[in-house]
Amino acid sequence: MDSESDAVRERLIETFRPKLATLIKVDQVVDHVHFLSEEQKEQILHQEGNFAGANRLIAEVLKPPHGPGWFRTFVDALVHGGCEPAAKYLDEEQVPSPEEEAENEQYAKLIHLLYPTLLDLLDVDVACYNCYTDEIITEADMDIINAAPNRREGARKLLGRIVKGPEGWFSKFLEVLRRTEQTAVYDLLAWKSSDDQNVEMETSHGDETTGNEPPAPSPATDPESQDSHETSSHQEDTTDLYKAENTESEQPGCSAEASEVRDEGDSMAAAAASKEHDIVLRDYQEEVAKPALEGKNIIICLPTGSGKTRVAVYITKEHLDKRKRQGLPAKVIVLVNKVPLVEQHYSEEFSKFLKSYKVERVSGNSQLKISFTEIVKNFDVVVCTAQILENYLERSVSGEDEGVHLSDLSLIVIDECHHTQKGGVYNHIMMRFLKQKHRNKRLQKERKKIKPLPQILGLTASPGVGGATKMSKTEEHILRICANLDASTIMTAKLGQYKKDSHKKVETNEGRKADPFGDVIKKIMTDIHDHAGLNTTHDCGTQSYEQWVVQTERDAAKEGNQKVRVCAYHLQQYNNGLQLNNTIRMTDSFSFLEQFYNDELKKKTSPEEDHVIKKTETERFLFELFRDNKDKLMELAKNPENENASLSKLRTTILKEFTLRENARGIIFTKTRRSAIALVQWAQDNPKFDEIEVNAAYLIGGGDQSVVKPMTSAEQKDVLKKFGSGEINLLIATTVAEEGLDIPKCNFVIRYGLVTNEISMIQARGRGRAEDSTYTLVETEGANVAEKETVNEYRINMMNKAIEKLRSLDQKEYDKRIMEFQIQAILEDKLRVQKNKQKEIKNSSPSEVKLNCRGCNKDVCTGDDIEIIENMHRVNQTQQFNELFQLKENNTLRERHLDYETNGYISCKECGHQWGTMMHYRGIDCPCLNVKNFAVTLSGKKISKCSKWSELPVKFQDFDYAGHAFEMASDSDEEEEEEVDE
C-alpha cells in the first residue's frame, strides 16, 4: 500500500515538475528537506542557476527508496522555504485553476517584456521592504535581496522572487509601487503611461518590435544564478524569470501579445483599485474632520451612533496618503480602553476601509508571534489597547528593550478620549506627549534638533462635567481634557436629518407590600450580629451597610480576630442576597446564598484523604445557621406573590416592546454581573417571552475582579455577533456594553435600576441606533432612578452649553488657557514623580513583610521568600511554603496566556482559605499569591487594607527562571537515576 502511495506521489511531482522548477527558491528550500544528505544538498546548491538547482532538487527527492513521510517533508520544506505557490500544486485541494495559472503567466510575461527597463527604474530598497510587509516575498527573500552588491543586482533578485510569490502577487506589487510613489514603474506595468513612455518602452525593446526573437531562457541567464557583479548584456537583462527550460521563445508579433497583456494589466489594476472601499462622509462628518485633515490636534465630540469611528478612518487614510505622497514616514496607532473594542474597530472599520495599507490589532488577549515593537515597525495602522502602548513607551524609557517611541508614530487616535484625565492610562501616554512638546519648545529656542510628535485625534460622545455643579467648573473640566489631549479645538456638529432621539419613559413601582424572604435573611443577620457582638446603625441590604461590614472585616483581619472576621465575611454575602432580592427573583438570591455555603464547605475538604481541615466553633455556628433556615428560605422563594414589583414592571416593558415592534431588538443594562446572568435565566423561564420569541443572552466584562466567572473576549464577540444577526434579540448587559461597542439595529434600551453619571447615560441611550427607538428607566427598590436621571439631564445640558462657550472663545484666549493647564499638569506630574521616588527611597525591605493566612492567622511567609515575574505575578517557590498549601484543580479558572497559564487555586491546609492560583510559567509550576487573601504586617505594623501588591512599598526580587529551571532539571535527572537503579 505504501509503495502504491509513493508511486502516486511521484507521478504528482513529475506532472507538475516544470511548474515546480520555476517556483522553487532552491537556497531557501533545500535545508528543510531533512532526508537529503549534506553531500546531496551541496550538489544541488552548486548547480548553475536556480532553475537547474530546482530540477536537481526534485530529482534527488524522487530517488527511491523513500523513507516514511518523505512527501510530507518535501511539501513542508516548500512552505517553510517561502514557496507556498509550489506547495499548492502538491495539494489536490489547492491546485491553481487553469484560469489562475494563465493569469500568473500573463503577469510574469509582462515583467519579462519590461525587464531591462524595470532594472533601470526600480527603487529596490523601498520596494523590497514594502513587498515583504505586503507578504509578496519572505524575510529570507528580503535578506538575499538586501545582500546584493548593488541596486541593479538587488532589483534582479527582487523581480526573480516576486514572480514566485503567492496568489495575487501582481496586484500587490502594483499597490506597493503606487504606495511608494514609483510612478514610472507603476504606469509601465499598469499600462497607464503617456505616449512618450510607450515610445520609450518600444525603443527599449527594439528586438521585439522589429520581429527579432528575444533570447530563450537558459541556466546561464537565469537572474537567480547571475554572479554578484553587475551585468550589462542585453541578453542577460531580458532573461525570462518564470518559464520552464523547455518553454518556447517569444515569437514575432510581440506587439499584439503586448496589447493583450495591456488589457489584462488594465483590468488587474482596476480590480486592485476596486478593492479599496470608498469612505463616504455625511456633511456634518466632513465638517468635524476638516481641522484634522489640516494636521491639527482635535477632539471630535459626536453622539453615539453618529459615525465618529468612520470619520477617524477617513482621517487616517488621508493622513497616510498625504505622508506617502510627501515621502514622509507614516504610522498610526488607534487606542481603545476595552479589549472587545480592539477587534470591533479592526474588523468593522480600519481593516475594512484601509485595504491598501497593512492593519493589525493587538490586545492583552493576543497570542503574539513577534513583539509589539516589531508590529509597530511592520504595519501602517495598529489598533490596540492603550495599556499595551504605554507598556512599550515605558520600556523605551527604562531601557528594558527597544520599546516604542512617540517619535515613531505620526498619528494617534484615542477612542473614548474623555478618559484622558485623573491619572488614567490615556493620561500617562499624553503626559509623555506634553512633556516632549514643551521640551521641543526649549530645544527650538536653543536651535537644537527637536523630536517629532504625532498628531492627536480624540473621539468622544461626551466629555462629561467631572462632577461640576457650576458652569465655570464645567468649562474648566472640558478645557483640562482638551489640554491633556493638546487639542486646538473641540469639534461638534448639528446632525440635522441624521439625528436620532430615543423616546424616553420612566417606570416606577411602589415596592413590595410584604417581604417574608428578606425578613428571614435579616433575622439570620441579627443572629450573626449577636454571636459576634456586633452593633450597627445601618439598615441591612443597603449600600451603607455593605461599606460598614467590609471595613469591619478588614479591621478584624488586621487585629487577628477570626471570630469577627468570619462573621463579617458571611454578613457581606447575606447583604448581597438582600440586594439581589430587591433586583431579581428570590430564587436567584437563594441560589446565590446556597452556592456560597456549598463553596465554603468545599474549602473545608482536602484532596488528600488523610488530611482533615478543621472548622472553628464560629464556622460551625454559621454553617448550622444557614442549614436551619435553608428549607424555609427555599419555600418562601417559590411563592410568586412575594416577588419584587420591579421585575413585574420590567416584564411588562419587554412584552410591550416585542409586541408593538415587528423586529424588536433591545438591551437591558443592569448593575452587576450576577444580576445580568440571573435576568437571562428569568427571561428564559418566562413562558410569555417564549411565545413572542424572546431570545436572551448576557454580556458581562472580562476582568476577574468579581466572584462571577468573567466572559472571554471570544465569548463577548460571539454574543455580539449573534445579537447583530438577530439570533439573539435581547441583550442583558453590565456597563461593559455602554461605551464604544457597536451594537446596531437596537431599537429599545432599558436601564434596570442602574443610573450612574451623565456620560454613562449618553452612552447607554446611544445604544438605541434604530429609528423610533425607546429609552426606558425601570426603577428598583431604593434606587431613586428618576431623581438621579433628572440630575444627569441637567448635567448634559450644562455640558453642551460649556462646549459651545469654549468653541466661541477667541483662539488666543483658548490657547493661553490650554497652555496654563498643560504647564500645571506637567508640574503636578513632576511632583508626583518626586514623591514616588521618595517613597522608593523609603521602600521597606522584603524581610519586613510578613504574610499570615487571613482565614486562620497562620504564619505563611516573609517577603524574602517572594519573587516577582514580569513585574506582575508574586510567587513563592520555597519548599517550606510548598508544604503549607493544598492544590485544587478548577477547570473554570483555567486561562492560557502567551507564557503562562493558570490551572487551579492554592489554599491553606489548616483552614482551606484560598491564597491564590497555581501558575504554569514556561514549564515551571509557580504558586502565585494574591495579597488580599492574607493579613499583612509591614515593619511590625499590621495593615487593615491591602488589596493590591502595588499598595505595598516593597520591591521584591526578580524571578530567577534559570535557577529554578536548572533545579527542576537536576531533580528530574536524580529521579531518572533512581528509577534506573531500581
Side-chain angles (χ1 to χ4, degrees):
M1 187 69 182
D2 286 344
S3 59
E4 290 177 7
S5 299
D6 286 343
V8 171
R9 289 162 181 162
E10 286 173 4
R11 283 197 298 274
L12 180 63
I13 293 173
E14 284 289 0
T15 300
F16 293 113
R17 183 170 184 161
K19 186 59 66 180
L20 294 175
T22 65
L23 295 173
I24 291 174
K25 305 165 190 173
V26 177
D27 50 356
Q28 291 172 217
V29 172
V30 68
D31 286 333
H32 294 286
V33 187
H34 306 305
F35 56 80
L36 296 179
S37 68
E38 289 302 315
E39 185 180 349
Q40 287 174 302
K41 292 177 183 178
E42 282 292 320
Q43 290 172 352
I44 292 166
L45 291 171
H46 277 84
Q47 293 297 306
E48 194 173 336
N50 185 81
F51 185 84
N55 267 309
R56 180 62 182 267
L57 170 62
I58 295 168
E60 294 296 335
V61 166
L62 290 173
K63 277 184 182 178
H66 298 301
W70 69 275
F71 182 80
R72 185 72 263 165
T73 299
F74 181 49
V75 174
D76 289 345
L78 295 175
V79 173
H80 293 312
C83 300
E84 288 90 345
K88 284 185 177 182
Y89 279 92
L90 303 183
D91 185 338
E92 62 182 14
E93 293 181 5
Q94 297 189 61
V95 174
S97 65
E99 292 79 12
E100 288 174 338
E101 284 195 299
E103 186 177 73
N104 281 334
E105 297 235 356
Q106 286 281 17
Y107 295 137
K109 187 185 294 181
L110 179 60
I111 296 286
H112 164 65
L113 288 171
L114 303 175
Y115 186 64
T117 309
L118 294 178
L119 288 182
D120 290 330
L121 296 178
L122 190 62
D123 184 343
V124 68
D125 293 333
V126 175
C128 177
Y129 175 77
N130 281 271
C131 286
Y132 165 64
T133 57
D134 282 13
E135 299 178 345
I136 307 171
I137 61 174
T138 66
E139 188 173 357
D141 289 327
M142 186 169 66
D143 291 339
I144 290 168
I145 295 161
N146 288 336
N150 53 59
R151 184 199 59 77
R152 192 177 178 85
E153 186 64 19
R156 187 192 312 283
K157 290 184 179 297
L158 175 62
L159 293 172
R161 279 160 161 72
I162 281 175
V163 295
K164 299 171 186 174
E167 186 180 337
W169 62 267
F170 183 78
S171 58
K172 288 183 179 180
F173 184 48
L174 276 181
E175 182 49 38
V176 165
L177 295 172
R178 187 200 65 78
R179 197 166 69 234
T180 56
E181 298 183 348
Q182 300 198 49
T183 311
V185 184
Y186 177 87
D187 288 346
L188 203 57
L189 288 177
W191 288 92
K192 292 182 180 179
S193 56
S194 65
D195 290 341
D196 289 341
Q197 286 174 316
N198 282 333
V199 170
E200 179 185 334
M201 190 205 74
E202 288 173 1
T203 304
S204 70
H205 292 282
D207 288 344
E208 289 141 40
T209 56
T210 57
N212 296 331
E213 280 189 23
S218 68
T221 58
D222 188 327
E224 303 268 348
S225 67
Q226 295 297 316
D227 294 333
S228 59
H229 64 275
E230 182 166 348
T231 308
S232 60
S233 165
H234 183 76
Q235 182 178 358
E236 290 170 332
D237 281 351
T238 56
T239 302
D240 190 329
L241 306 183
Y242 201 72
K243 292 183 179 179
E245 191 173 18
N246 59 351
T247 304
E248 291 183 5
S249 305
E250 294 288 315
Q251 297 300 320
C254 269
S255 297
E257 287 190 13
S259 177
E260 292 173 9
V261 175
R262 179 189 308 169
D263 295 338
E264 192 74 14
D266 275 338
S267 64
M268 193 65 182
S274 70
K275 288 182 181 179
E276 182 78 74
H277 284 68
D278 290 331
I279 305 174
V280 181
L281 297 186
R282 293 169 175 169
D283 292 344
Y284 71 87
Q285 293 172 324
E286 288 181 353
E287 181 186 337
V288 297
K290 279 179 183 176
L293 296 175
E294 296 166 5
K296 294 177 182 176
N297 297 345
I298 66 166
I299 294 172
I300 292 177
C301 181
L302 290 175
T304 301
S306 58
K308 292 185 298 297
T309 312
R310 185 65 49 81
V311 176
V313 177
Y314 180 80
I315 292 169
T316 297
K317 184 179 184 303
E318 292 298 309
H319 171 87
L320 291 167
D321 289 348
K322 184 178 179 181
R323 304 266 306 181
K324 295 292 183 186
R325 287 194 300 270
Q326 295 172 341
L328 298 172
K331 193 74 62 180
V332 181
I333 294 281
V334 182
L335 300 180
V336 299
N337 61 335
K338 291 179 181 176
V339 171
L341 292 177
V342 173
E343 182 61 38
Q344 176 184 294
H345 282 1
Y346 170 80
S347 58
E348 297 300 321
E349 296 289 344
F350 286 89
S351 66
K352 181 178 178 180
F353 289 99
L354 300 176
K355 294 289 185 184
S356 58
Y357 291 100
K358 288 190 67 83
V359 185
E360 182 57 286
R361 77 286 210 190
V362 186
S363 73
N365 290 341
S366 302
Q367 300 291 320
L368 301 181
K369 294 181 180 178
I370 58 174
S371 74
F372 182 71
T373 305
E374 290 302 311
I375 287 175
V376 171
K377 284 180 182 178
N378 294 325
F379 288 84
D380 301 304
V381 182
V382 181
V383 184
C384 66
T385 45
Q387 191 60 55
I388 286 177
L389 177 61
E390 169 60 13
N391 291 347
Y392 278 82
L393 289 171
E394 179 58 33
R395 286 187 181 195
S396 68
V397 173
S398 64
E400 182 181 338
D401 58 26
E402 191 177 354
V404 174
H405 299 80
L406 283 174
S407 56
D408 298 332
L409 315 175
S410 58
L411 171 65
I412 299 179
V413 180
I414 302 180
D415 191 41
E416 308 296 347
C417 69
H418 53 269
H419 291 298
T420 316
Q421 55 171 323
K422 296 180 180 178
V425 64
Y426 284 164
N427 227 147
H428 291 316
I429 292 168
M430 285 309 301
M431 186 52 62
R432 297 177 190 277
F433 178 100
L434 294 179
K435 285 180 178 178
Q436 188 58 53
K437 174 191 171 183
H438 289 276
R439 233 178 265 134
N440 281 349
K441 287 187 176 180
R442 191 184 70 245
L443 292 169
Q444 227 165 4
K445 286 179 182 178
E446 297 170 358
R447 296 187 177 181
K448 294 179 180 177
K449 187 179 180 181
I450 65 171
K451 284 191 176 181
L453 284 171
Q455 181 183 351
I456 304 296
L457 174 62
L459 308 175
T460 183
S462 164
V465 301
T469 55
K470 296 179 181 178
M471 180 63 74
S472 60
K473 290 294 182 184
T474 303
E475 289 176 33
E476 183 179 316
H477 165 75
I478 297 171
L479 263 176
R480 283 187 184 276
I481 292 176
C482 291
N484 290 341
L485 289 157
D486 196 43
S488 62
T489 185
I490 179 168
M491 296 298 294
T492 60
K494 292 180 180 178
L495 272 58
Q497 61 175 316
Y498 302 108
K499 188 175 182 181
K500 296 174 185 175
D501 284 327
S502 301
H503 177 61
K504 181 182 172 183
K505 297 181 286 183
V506 178
E507 299 286 351
T508 58
N509 64 74
E510 299 175 357
R512 284 189 178 103
K513 293 179 181 178
D515 183 15
F517 180 85
D519 292 340
V520 172
I521 293 179
K522 289 175 182 176
K523 175 65 171 63
I524 293 172
M525 294 172 79
T526 301
D527 290 344
I528 297 174
H529 289 156
D530 293 340
H531 178 82
L534 293 170
N535 294 303
T536 179
T537 57
H538 304 285
D539 293 333
C540 296
T542 62
Q543 192 71 32
S544 59
Y545 181 90
E546 183 176 347
Q547 292 168 353
W548 170 79
V549 78
V550 166
Q551 189 57 51
T552 300
E553 193 272 341
R554 286 174 181 163
D555 292 341
K558 174 184 174 182
E559 296 161 6
N561 188 335
Q562 292 306 310
K563 181 177 181 178
V564 172
R565 190 202 67 78
V566 173
C567 286
Y569 178 59
H570 283 244
L571 286 169
Q572 285 181 55
Q573 313 312 315
Y574 281 114
N575 197 63
N576 287 337
L578 279 176
Q579 291 175 334
L580 291 171
N581 179 47
N582 293 336
T583 309
I584 48 183
R585 295 175 297 183
M586 293 179 289
T587 51
D588 298 313
S589 175
F590 173 76
S591 296
F592 161 70
L593 291 171
E594 184 179 38
Q595 185 63 50
F596 166 71
Y597 275 95
N598 287 340
D599 289 343
E600 288 299 298
L601 282 169
K602 283 180 184 176
K603 289 179 184 178
K604 298 299 174 182
T605 59
S606 172
E608 301 169 16
E609 293 182 5
D610 58 342
H611 181 74
V612 178
I613 299 175
K614 297 175 183 177
K615 296 189 189 80
T616 64
E617 182 184 339
T618 296
E619 287 171 335
R620 280 196 292 271
F621 163 76
L622 292 167
F623 286 131
E624 288 170 9
L625 186 61
F626 178 75
R627 189 165 59 243
D628 293 344
N629 289 277
K630 181 178 176 180
D631 291 341
K632 193 173 186 180
L633 285 169
M634 188 188 299
E635 185 181 344
L636 290 169
K638 291 177 181 178
N639 187 348
E641 293 178 9
N642 299 322
E643 203 62 83
N644 76 67
S646 304
L647 273 179
S648 177
K649 285 285 183 185
L650 180 62
R651 177 176 176 272
T652 303
T653 303
I654 295 170
L655 287 171
K656 276 183 184 177
E657 294 290 352
F658 275 90
T659 304
L660 298 177
R661 295 180 187 275
E662 190 172 337
N663 292 303
R665 204 177 306 181
I667 305 173
I668 299 173
F669 287 104
T670 185
K671 188 175 181 181
T672 66
R673 295 177 178 184
R674 189 175 287 112
S675 61
I677 295 168
L679 284 171
V680 169
Q681 189 61 53
W682 166 75
Q684 291 171 346
D685 293 345
N686 197 309
K688 282 287 183 185
F689 289 169
D690 219 17
E691 290 174 19
I692 56 175
E693 298 183 342
V694 174
N695 296 315
Y698 62 83
L699 181 70
I700 61 176
D704 60 355
Q705 69 273 21
S706 165
V707 293
V708 178
K709 184 179 180 291
M711 287 184 88
T712 64
S713 57
E715 289 170 334
Q716 290 174 335
K717 184 179 176 182
D718 183 56
V719 168
L720 288 171
K721 183 180 178 182
K722 288 178 179 176
F723 185 72
S725 67
E727 186 178 342
I728 292 167
N729 53 22
L730 183 61
L731 198 61
I732 303 175
T734 54
T735 53
V736 69
E738 281 183 347
E739 262 193 13
L741 290 180
D742 184 27
I743 306 175
K745 299 179 183 177
C746 176
N747 45 33
F748 71 88
V749 172
I750 300 171
R751 297 198 96 190
Y752 183 58
L754 174 66
V755 179
T756 48
N757 59 27
E758 70 284 358
I759 295 176
S760 292
M761 176 180 164
I762 290 172
Q763 298 278 11
R765 187 183 291 183
R767 294 304 124 206
R769 299 284 181 90
E771 297 292 337
D772 193 32
S773 60
T774 59
Y775 175 74
T776 307
L777 296 166
V778 177
E779 193 160 13
T780 56
E781 292 182 36
N784 300 321
V785 166
E787 181 184 332
K788 291 176 181 176
E789 193 76 359
T790 302
V791 171
N792 283 340
E793 292 281 6
Y794 169 75
R795 287 173 174 166
I796 290 169
N797 187 42
M798 191 164 63
M799 177 194 75
N800 289 333
K801 286 181 178 178
I803 291 173
E804 285 305 311
K805 192 171 179 181
L806 291 176
R807 282 179 52 76
S808 65
L809 271 181
D810 176 74
Q811 192 65 41
K812 286 185 178 178
E813 175 63 21
Y814 174 89
D815 292 342
K816 180 187 172 186
R817 294 182 68 180
I818 287 291
M819 178 71 73
E820 289 171 356
F821 282 132
Q822 287 182 349
I823 292 171
Q824 181 185 343
I826 290 170
L827 291 174
E828 286 174 354
D829 186 70
K830 197 174 284 185
L831 188 63
R832 180 185 59 80
V833 171
Q834 287 174 353
K835 284 183 178 178
N836 286 341
K837 283 182 179 177
Q838 289 172 358
K839 282 182 183 178
E840 287 176 13
I841 293 170
K842 296 177 182 177
N843 268 357
S844 301
S845 165
S847 60
E848 295 180 84
V849 177
K850 182 183 174 186
L851 300 184
N852 289 68
C853 176
R854 202 175 182 90
C856 62
N857 211 36
K858 177 185 179 64
D859 288 348
V860 176
C861 67
T862 68
D864 285 333
D865 301 325
I866 296 173
E867 296 174 284
I868 186 167
I869 297 176
E870 295 179 355
N871 204 30
M872 189 188 312
H873 312 285
R874 276 74 175 181
V875 300
N876 188 335
Q877 289 290 97
T878 62
Q879 184 59 38
Q880 300 93 312
F881 179 74
N882 197 47
E883 292 171 0
L884 299 178
F885 70 81
Q886 57 184 352
L887 173 64
K888 291 189 177 181
E889 289 192 8
N890 185 346
N891 290 330
T892 63
L893 187 68
R894 293 195 175 203
E895 291 181 38
R896 290 186 177 274
H897 298 271
L898 194 58
D899 287 325
Y900 68 92
E901 60 182 89
T902 51
N903 295 327
Y905 62 81
I906 57 172
S907 58
C908 177
K909 275 189 177 180
E910 293 291 324
C911 67
H913 186 76
Q914 188 172 323
W915 287 350
T917 58
M918 180 59 78
M919 186 172 81
H920 191 69
Y921 176 72
R922 293 166 61 186
I924 301 176
D925 286 328
C926 304
C928 187
L929 311 183
N930 191 331
V931 72
K932 71 180 181 181
N933 295 325
F934 298 92
V936 182
T937 303
L938 180 63
S939 302
K941 184 180 178 181
K942 292 182 178 178
I943 300 174
S944 62
K945 181 191 175 185
C946 189
S947 56
K948 298 177 183 176
W949 283 107
S950 57
E951 294 169 2
L952 278 179
V954 177
K955 183 171 176 59
F956 296 104
Q957 60 184 321
D958 290 331
F959 183 72
D960 181 12
Y961 177 79
H964 291 303
F966 179 76
E967 191 175 329
M968 272 189 63
S970 299
D971 291 343
S972 176
D973 289 343
E974 287 177 10
E975 288 174 8
E976 288 179 8
E977 287 174 7
E978 288 174 6
E979 288 177 6
V980 170
D981 291 341
E982 289 174 3

